[in-house]
Amino acid sequence: MIISLTGFMGCGKSSVGKELAELLSFRFIDLDRYVEHKAGKNIPDIFREDGEERFRALEAEAVRDVIIMSQITGEDLVLALGGGTLSISSVRGFILGNTSCIYLKAELEDCLKWIGERNSRPMLNRSGKEIRELFEERTKLYENAPFCIDVTENGYKETAESIIGKLRLNR
Ligand code: S3P
């Protein structure tokens, strides 16, 4: 089984994913870290040196690699997607068709608060109005996920427990 986590930057995909994988004894992969490892440089450098389009191509390739690898090996997986992965039309259907996709829903203000001052995300390098527009655009994409959990009031572990309940998984 492959559980993928989607939602806006800062909503907790990686932290919840790690908890969830631990509770279920599944493998955990953070797609951003996987892309960085394959590219041999960090995401801000990929955006700066190669551009967003190149980053999306690497992200699409990574998501296919990881899902297919898990299907071939039969290894259960929790996959934390990037906040923009579902915006790539060529892999959106593939993700929704091959994983149990969970949308971690949070308010924009909370996401920005949780990201904090030390923000290195290239997609947030824009005006407050543009960030709000991006958030609204993205929300429509996240709503394609068949499962949604509101993370506002919950810690990472509680959220992971709710996902297990929602998917009716035993552990
Ligand atoms: C992005 C989100 C980031 C990362 C990249 C682009 C986006 O992931 O993939 O900076 O387009 O929303 P997180 O959501 O893990 O921060």
Side-chain angles (χ1 to χ4, degrees), residues 152-166:
T152 314
E153 301 293 331
N154 296 320
Y156 301 139
K157 190 158 185 198
E158 277 172 286
T159 302
E161 301 271 9
S162 308
I163 293 172
I164 290 172
K166 238 184 199 186

Side-chain angles (χ1 to χ4, degrees), residues 84-152:
T85 317
L86 285 188
S87 71
I88 311 170
S89 55
S90 63
V91 287
R92 189 160 54 239
F94 183 71
I95 294 168
L96 296 172
N98 287 279
T99 73
S100 296
C101 188
I102 320 255
Y103 165 29
L104 303 185
K105 186 177 163 73
E107 297 297 331
L108 174 58
E109 290 67 25
D110 287 328
C111 291
L112 297 178
K113 191 172 76 198
W114 294 327
I115 288 173
E117 299 290 308
R118 281 173 37 255
N119 161 40
S120 60
R121 287 157 167 96
M123 293 300 287
L124 293 179
N125 201 0
R126 57 184 73 200
S127 73
K129 181 170 172 281
E130 286 166 334
I131 293 175
R132 163 67 57 191
E133 282 164 6
L134 179 69
F135 179 81
E136 280 162 13
E137 224 171 79
R138 290 283 176 76
T139 298
K140 291 187 203 129
L141 295 172
Y142 304 145
E143 286 171 347
N144 285 300
F147 305 96
C148 174
I149 305 251
D150 193 319
V151 299
T152 314

Side-chain angles (χ1 to χ4, degrees), residues 61-96:
E61 193 180 295
V63 90
R64 277 193 214 99
D65 279 3
V66 166
I67 291 174
I68 291 170
M69 183 177 65
S70 162
Q71 290 171 334
I72 291 173
T73 61
E75 190 177 34
D76 293 317
L77 175 70
V78 174
L79 174 62
L81 300 169
T85 317
L86 285 188
S87 71
I88 311 170
S89 55
S90 63
V91 287
R92 189 160 54 239
F94 183 71
I95 294 168
L96 296 172

